[in-house]
Amino acid sequence: MPDIWHALFANVALISIALLAWELVSDLFSSPDTRWRSLALGAVMGAGSVASMMMASEVMPGVIFDLRTSLVAAAALFGGLPAALLSAGLALAYRISIGGIGLPAGAASIIMAYAVGLMAHRLTSHRSLVYSDVLIFALVVPVCTLLGFLFLPQGLLMRMISEAGLPIFILSFAATLLISFALYRDARQRELTRRNLIYRSMVDELPDCLNVKDTEGRFLAANPPTARLMRAGSVGDLIGRTDFDFYPGPLAASFRQDEAGVLASGEARRFDQRALMPDGSDGWLSTLKAPLRDEAGRVIGIISHNRDVTEEKRNQEIKNAFISTVSHELRTPLTSIRGSLGLVSAGVAGTLPPKAENLIRIAHTNSERLVRLINDILDMEKIESGKMMFDMQRHALRPIVEQAIETANNYMPDRRIRIVLVDDAPGSVVDADADRMHQVVTNLLSNAIKFSPPAGIVQLRLAYIDHHVEIAVSDQGAGIPLAFRDRIFGKFEQADSSSTREKGGTGLGLSITKALVQHMSGAIGFETADGAGTTFKVTLPLAADDPPLRSASRDTREPTRILICEDDAETASIIAKLLASDGYGTDLAPDFSSAQSLLRDRTYAAIALDIDLAGDSGVRLFNEVRNSHHNGNIPVIVLSAAPDEARKSLNGAAVGIIDWLAKPVDPERLHASVQKIVAAPSHHRPRILHVEDDRDVLEVMAAGLGSDVVMTFAHNLAEARAQLAAQSFELVILDIGLPDGSGLDLLGELDDATPVIIFSASDLDGVLARKVKSVMTKTKRSEIDVARSVRAILAGRS
């Protein structure tokens, strides 16, 4: 049937005319109201369907073949329900008017095309149409026409399929593909035009300046505010010209230098820069410059965004000047007020009645608080204006820390907070401003004191981290709320505004601290947990020619450490300096509970003990040490203002005391006393870590090993890791089943030189690491067996 091919090809030509008609009509519908546009598409596609049927030749009376289904389905897909109803309605109406034996099949194909088009429209309404969608759609629509053949009389069905099926499928597919791709491209083009119109409106209407330049600094595009800023007649007057055509040479050169930096780095930069304003006055622009790249990723220009911040700068300067003037004016009277109240509180004016004494104390405390507030405001103003000076010199860190501790001890004394110094970085030297470093440590200590419970302990620890020294300040507070952690270093930030009234402070301290640390090439961070306190950590680079005395890695032996138990900060500092000059590490414990905590967690070669520590605490601490499995044989150097009286206070129990030193301490005698301890070989006891969650097993094991070894206990993996990080051990006894995981996880974290005995309730098969010297199963082997194995291993290492 060559006539069918001719008729269908003519229909394809008609579709091209319909598409051209749609392109002309669609330009009339620029309104955002899509309903009229949809109706217009339905009318054009419906008219095309009618024309298609009019051009078709009858195969027999009432049977015609055309491409109406392609037009109806495309109208539904791209125009939605209004277009589908109108196009399908026109096509049905005309087909009904023709009538004949093929009417049921023709009407059915139109309805099926209508349904397929609407279904495709619904499926793609919530996402962008892609080419694969169009291809699948073009394959489905011809099937609708062929399915319509099922409504032909039975005798005619097979004849029509054999004679007209192939041309109808091929040309219907081609026609649907042509229509769909044309309408798809038209829709994309219109969407692109709409977006460009929105973007252009945004760019033109924004008061900020936006422009694009090539790599030579010539303007490629700009918005009207840019033209007004540069005093150009219009945007067109900017194109192809540079800043040198509008600004004085030095100012244009500074702009070009900023652009060259962005082009060289390939990264966006944000900064404030001086500018010449349209009225000829000097002003400021907040500028963002970003590289413009082509499809290959090469930088081909600069995108700039400029915002006039002249008024903001002036307001900031006025605010800073006001704060500075008021704060300085307040300082003079406050100095007199604070000093006078301090003298009265100290009793210079005589003894006060209890009520008056309490009122004076309240006034003095709040005058101190006001002084701190003013100092914080002034410091923040200096930092923001860039006027804070830093005298960077080489300083030993320990003396700065000790001075800060002495200062912090006077902060909120009614809370009775004790500060414990743990120095794992003896002799560390940093390049810093001593006064600013003192301020940093004092801020962290006062913050920790403020949020610690009454009579709590604040620990300050110095440690080597690679080529840096870390200052860690830990409190025993409630921790930092999760919602506040991202804002902790912000200005005027408080986790709870009520804490400002309850505990004092402005919320400036940590912001100032961070700025000071960063100016000294350091970094600050924190670790916290709800109900478990907070640790702030400041990391500073060591002085260039001052390598750490020891590495932070576990395979390096620690320096000999001595615990100083002394409640007088000045005396403790002097003793620490004397010992540090001889290369000894020291920790400071100002009271009984602090010393208990340190002795429980750390190992010391000796204790320098003030026997008069807080009343009878010195004697009580000495007796507790002697009765301890962990530190029973540790040497003690007794410090006392009256050594003879101190001997009597111990009442004959002075076992293991190396020397009795009178205050003030004689440096040479102190040195000699320590040398006795270090030189005595009998005082070395192997250190053993026993990781076990059963306390009874721990006690039996300690008793079985006796006092010849130093036992350290860990009840879970977390405690074990903390102990391994704090000190080294000659041997590890390891249980496998622990509350927070498997003890085997520790094997990969131990040095190869550290032998391990596994003592567990679990039977272990397979090959363990070489460091495991023995595997013993509980109930099968006893603690005595383990003790024998320990002695054998230690004897083999000696």
Side-chain angles (χ1 to χ4, degrees), residues 626-667:
R626 283 293 167 258
N627 293 326
S628 166
H629 289 297
H630 185 44
N631 296 295
N633 297 323
I634 189 170
V636 176
I637 301 172
V638 172
L639 312 173
S640 177
D644 292 336
E645 293 297 324
R647 284 187 176 91
K648 295 177 182 178
S649 67
L650 288 178
N651 195 24
V655 178
I657 293 180
I658 300 300
D659 205 349
W660 304 77
L661 301 185
K663 296 181 180 179
V665 174
D666 180 356

Side-chain angles (χ1 to χ4, degrees), residues 211-220 238-245 252-253 255-264 289 292 299-304:
N211 62 78
V212 179
K213 297 179 182 177
D214 63 17
T215 55
E216 300 300 321
R218 293 183 291 261
F219 284 95
L220 300 177
L238 292 175
I239 306 305
R241 304 173 72 180
T242 71
D243 290 327
F244 289 93
D245 296 318
F255 293 161
R256 184 59 187 157
Q257 184 177 2
D258 293 334
E259 292 169 358
V262 174
L263 290 171
K289 292 186 180 295
L292 174 67
V299 177
I300 59 172
I302 293 283
I303 305 171
S304 297

Side-chain angles (χ1 to χ4, degrees), residues 58-80:
E58 289 186 328
V59 177
M60 61 179 58
V63 179
I64 59 174
F65 294 111
D66 55 78
L67 300 178
R68 73 190 86 119
T69 53
S70 298
L71 293 161
V72 171
L77 173 60
F78 291 95

Side-chain angles (χ1 to χ4, degrees), residues 308-639:
D308 184 358
V309 292
T310 305
E311 193 65 26
E312 295 176 21
K313 286 280 187 181
R314 289 173 182 164
N315 291 339
Q316 184 67 32
E317 290 174 0
I318 293 172
K319 183 197 77 172
N320 291 341
F322 173 76
I323 291 175
S324 179
T325 301
V326 171
S327 299
H328 280 97
E329 290 299 322
L330 283 173
R331 270 183 165 173
T332 301
L334 265 179
T335 300
S336 300
I337 294 170
R338 182 178 65 168
S340 300
L341 290 171
L343 291 173
V344 173
S345 297
V348 173
T351 304
L352 298 174
K355 289 186 178 180
E357 184 179 0
N358 185 52
L359 293 174
I360 292 294
R361 180 186 62 79
I362 293 173
H364 185 237
T365 299
N366 282 280
S367 69
E368 293 282 359
R369 179 179 172 184
L370 189 55
V371 167
R372 286 193 297 272
L373 168 63
I374 292 173
N375 288 337
D376 283 349
I377 292 174
L378 283 174
D379 284 342
M380 183 55 67
E381 185 269 332
K382 287 181 182 177
I383 290 170
E384 290 185 340
S385 62
K387 296 178 181 177
M388 179 167 282
M389 304 300 294
F390 286 82
D391 182 17
M392 301 295 288
Q393 295 188 25
R394 189 151 301 182
H395 296 283
L397 185 57
R398 173 86 180 230
I400 297 175
V401 169
E402 289 175 342
Q403 292 169 12
I405 291 175
E406 188 173 349
T407 301
N409 279 328
N410 297 319
Y411 180 69
M412 302 180 78
D414 54 318
R415 297 182 67 83
R416 307 184 312 282
I417 304 295
R418 300 176 299 283
I419 301 175
V420 176
L421 173 62
V422 177
D423 187 0
D424 287 337
S428 54
V429 177
V430 295
D431 290 320
D433 182 308
D435 291 336
R436 300 306 173 195
M437 197 67 240
H438 179 276
Q439 185 177 357
V440 165
V441 180
T442 303
N443 278 354
L444 294 178
L445 288 172
S446 61
N447 195 66
I449 290 171
K450 180 165 59 177
F451 290 101
S452 288
I457 294 176
V458 170
Q459 184 185 84
L460 191 156
R461 181 174 181 264
L462 305 179
Y464 288 121
I465 306 293
D466 295 329
H467 297 289
H468 295 71
V469 62
E470 181 183 83
I471 306 168
V473 177
S474 304
D475 63 46
Q476 297 176 328
I480 301 172
L482 181 61
F484 180 66
R485 293 173 190 175
D486 292 339
R487 299 182 286 118
I488 189 70
F489 293 109
K491 291 186 293 184
F492 301 103
E493 292 286 359
Q494 294 275 1
D496 179 2
S497 59
S498 63
S499 65
T500 304
R501 296 184 293 272
E502 177 186 349
K503 299 176 180 176
T506 61
L508 286 173
L510 288 176
S511 179
I512 293 171
T513 299
K514 181 178 182 179
L516 295 178
V517 170
Q518 290 177 338
H519 272 84
M520 292 185 286
S521 303
I524 184 171
F526 65 92
E527 295 176 357
T528 187
D530 292 340
T534 301
T535 298
F536 281 93
K537 296 181 177 181
V538 172
T539 306
L540 294 170
L542 289 165
D545 58 350
D546 184 64
L549 295 181
R550 68 174 180 89
S551 169
S553 60
R554 291 189 209 109
D555 59 352
T556 303
R557 301 185 70 86
E558 295 181 340
T560 302
R561 303 193 64 77
I562 297 175
L563 177 62
I564 302 172
C565 302
E566 170 64 63
D567 55 3
D568 183 79
E570 186 174 347
T571 300
S573 177
I574 292 172
I575 295 172
K577 290 175 182 176
L578 292 173
L579 292 172
S581 66
D582 287 335
Y584 301 114
T586 58
D587 294 338
L588 304 183
D591 53 42
F592 178 81
S593 58
S594 302
Q596 272 187 314
S597 176
L598 288 170
L599 285 167
R600 183 170 54 250
D601 295 337
R602 304 177 69 84
T603 301
Y604 297 96
I607 301 175
L609 173 63
D610 177 10
I611 206 67
D612 302 317
L613 184 70
D616 65 345
S617 294
V619 176
R620 187 154 57 98
L621 179 61
F622 179 83
N623 290 330
E624 181 170 301
V625 167
R626 283 293 167 258
N627 293 326
S628 166
H629 289 297
H630 185 44
N631 296 295
N633 297 323
I634 189 170
V636 176
I637 301 172
V638 172
L639 312 173

Side-chain angles (χ1 to χ4, degrees), residues 649-731:
S649 67
L650 288 178
N651 195 24
V655 178
I657 293 180
I658 300 300
D659 205 349
W660 304 77
L661 301 185
K663 296 181 180 179
V665 174
D666 180 356
E668 293 184 4
R669 181 126 176 227
L670 175 63
H671 175 77
S673 299
V674 175
Q675 284 299 107
K676 293 179 189 177
I677 299 167
V678 175
S682 60
H683 291 300
H684 174 70
R685 295 181 297 159
R687 287 178 293 181
I688 298 174
L689 174 63
H690 190 180
V691 186
E692 169 65 63
D693 60 337
D694 190 312
R695 297 181 183 274
D696 293 337
V697 173
L698 292 173
E699 290 185 14
V700 174
M701 186 69 70
L705 290 171
S707 60
D708 294 334
V709 298
V710 177
M711 294 292 294
T712 300
F713 302 138
H715 301 93
N716 50 52
L717 283 177
E719 292 181 9
R721 289 188 173 109
Q723 292 293 347
L724 288 168
Q727 55 187 312
S728 57
F729 296 92
E730 278 85 348
L731 187 141

Side-chain angles (χ1 to χ4, degrees), residues 111-356:
I111 293 171
M112 283 188 284
Y114 163 86
V116 167
L118 277 183
M119 185 180 300
H121 177 79
R122 177 67 61 85
L123 291 175
T124 58
S125 61
H126 299 295
R127 62 176 177 85
S128 299
L129 202 67
V130 295
Y131 285 118
S132 60
D133 296 330
V134 175
L135 183 61
I136 294 172
F137 179 72
L139 288 170
V140 173
V141 171
V143 176
C144 297
T145 304
L146 295 179
L147 289 175
F149 283 10
L150 297 176
F151 294 88
L152 291 171
Q154 191 66 31
L156 189 59
L157 173 61
M158 297 308 299
R159 177 188 170 193
M160 291 296 101
I161 291 178
S162 63
E163 296 180 359
L166 182 61
I168 285 178
F169 184 86
I170 292 176
L171 293 181
S172 180
F173 168 76
T176 306
L177 201 61
L178 174 64
I179 298 171
S180 299
F181 271 129
L183 294 178
Y184 172 64
R185 290 186 71 255
D186 177 70
R188 288 189 61 185
Q189 186 63 38
R190 292 189 178 278
E191 177 63 18
L192 182 61
T193 302
R194 185 185 69 84
R195 290 185 180 181
N196 286 340
L197 179 62
I198 293 173
Y199 294 151
R200 172 54 61 184
S201 299
M202 290 171 58
V203 169
D204 289 346
E205 298 302 324
L206 279 176
D208 295 347
C209 302
L210 298 170
N211 62 78
V212 179
K213 297 179 182 177
D214 63 17
T215 55
E216 300 300 321
R218 293 183 291 261
F219 284 95
L220 300 177
N223 67 341
T226 302
R228 288 194 292 270
L229 173 68
M230 303 186 71
R231 292 179 290 182
S234 65
V235 171
D237 294 336
L238 292 175
I239 306 305
R241 304 173 72 180
T242 71
D243 290 327
F244 289 93
D245 296 318
F246 300 93
Y247 291 124
L251 184 60
S254 70
F255 293 161
R256 184 59 187 157
Q257 184 177 2
D258 293 334
E259 292 169 358
V262 174
L263 290 171
S265 66
E267 297 179 354
R269 292 181 55 198
R270 188 185 297 274
F271 46 84
D272 291 346
Q273 57 183 2
R274 290 189 175 276
L276 188 64
M277 308 312 289
D279 60 0
S281 63
D282 292 332
W284 285 90
L285 295 177
S286 175
T287 299
L288 171 65
K289 292 186 180 295
L292 174 67
R293 301 180 185 274
D294 61 11
E295 294 84 353
R298 294 170 299 191
V299 177
I300 59 172
I302 293 283
I303 305 171
S304 297
H305 170 265
N306 301 299
R307 183 167 61 89
D308 184 358
V309 292
T310 305
E311 193 65 26
E312 295 176 21
K313 286 280 187 181
R314 289 173 182 164
N315 291 339
Q316 184 67 32
E317 290 174 0
I318 293 172
K319 183 197 77 172
N320 291 341
F322 173 76
I323 291 175
S324 179
T325 301
V326 171
S327 299
H328 280 97
E329 290 299 322
L330 283 173
R331 270 183 165 173
T332 301
L334 265 179
T335 300
S336 300
I337 294 170
R338 182 178 65 168
S340 300
L341 290 171
L343 291 173
V344 173
S345 297
V348 173
T351 304
L352 298 174
K355 289 186 178 180

